Amino acid sequence: MLYVITGPPASGKSTWIEAHAKPTDVVIDLDRITGALTGPGAPAWSQHPLHLRVAHRARYAAMDEAFQLLDQLDVYLIHTMPNARAMAKYKRLKARIVVVDPGRDIVMQRIKAMRAPEMERVATRWYNARRRLPQQAMPQASRTW
């Protein structure tokens, strides 16, 4: 099964995965990949653009391989703002879309406390894009965790 975890920065997507994924599952998280590809002491959430460039390539390769193994294992993929093309692919793969959103105020507080200031723009874009969706098209936010 493919689980696509979406939500604004600092919403708790990684925490949701930690609460649900098993050690035998595959987790594709750009922050984790970037951390694995950078030297000791590199910032966890404010990565250098060149590090992100390398990590994005590794993420795409991991996705391609993991999607071929969905009949054998569960895959958890963090995708903050999937576009229509990505959503169509996830639908073809029968993915479960999980939206993690504790609310704009909490997200902005977390960003101020823990993230780079440019993440505020990403969160604002995420919320603006959600506002433009028709209500019935909005996936139900996960709250059972």
Side-chain angles (χ1 to χ4, degrees):
M1 165 66 83
L2 172 62
Y3 297 88
V4 178
I5 316 307
T6 185
S11 62
K13 297 179 296 293
S14 296
T15 302
W16 189 93
I17 289 174
E18 287 175 21
H20 291 85
K22 300 179 300 300
T24 55
D25 297 334
V26 170
V27 175
I28 303 173
D29 176 347
L30 187 63
D31 289 337
R32 290 173 73 173
I33 293 169
T34 306
L37 295 173
T38 54
W45 290 299
S46 182
Q47 300 101 342
H48 189 280
L50 293 178
H51 294 156
L52 283 172
R53 181 177 168 181
V54 173
H56 272 286
R57 295 292 296 252
R59 178 179 177 260
Y60 293 134
M63 288 166 63
D64 288 342
E65 189 64 27
F67 292 169
Q68 295 178 42
L69 303 172
L70 290 174
D71 60 333
Q72 300 171 58
L73 50 76
D74 287 341
V75 175
Y76 290 79
L77 169 65
I78 291 180
H79 197 157
T80 298
M81 285 193 301
N83 60 25
R85 183 176 176 195
M87 289 299 285
K89 181 172 188 170
Y90 301 150
K91 184 177 180 179
R92 282 193 310 276
L93 294 170
K94 297 179 175 56
R96 176 175 170 219
I97 308 299
V98 178
V99 179
V100 179
D101 178 18
R104 186 183 191 116
D105 291 341
I106 291 171
V107 164
M108 292 306 186
Q109 288 172 355
R110 290 177 181 174
I111 290 172
K112 282 184 189 345
M114 303 182 305
R115 303 288 174 97
E118 53 269 12
M119 288 294 108
E120 287 182 29
R121 286 194 309 273
V122 177
T124 298
R125 250 182 39 234
W126 190 89
Y127 283 107
N128 288 344
R130 301 278 298 168
R131 195 172 48 221
R132 288 191 300 266
L133 289 175
Q135 276 311 105
Q136 68 272 19
M138 295 178 80
Q140 178 63 40
S142 171
R143 285 296 184 213
T144 58
W145 61 280

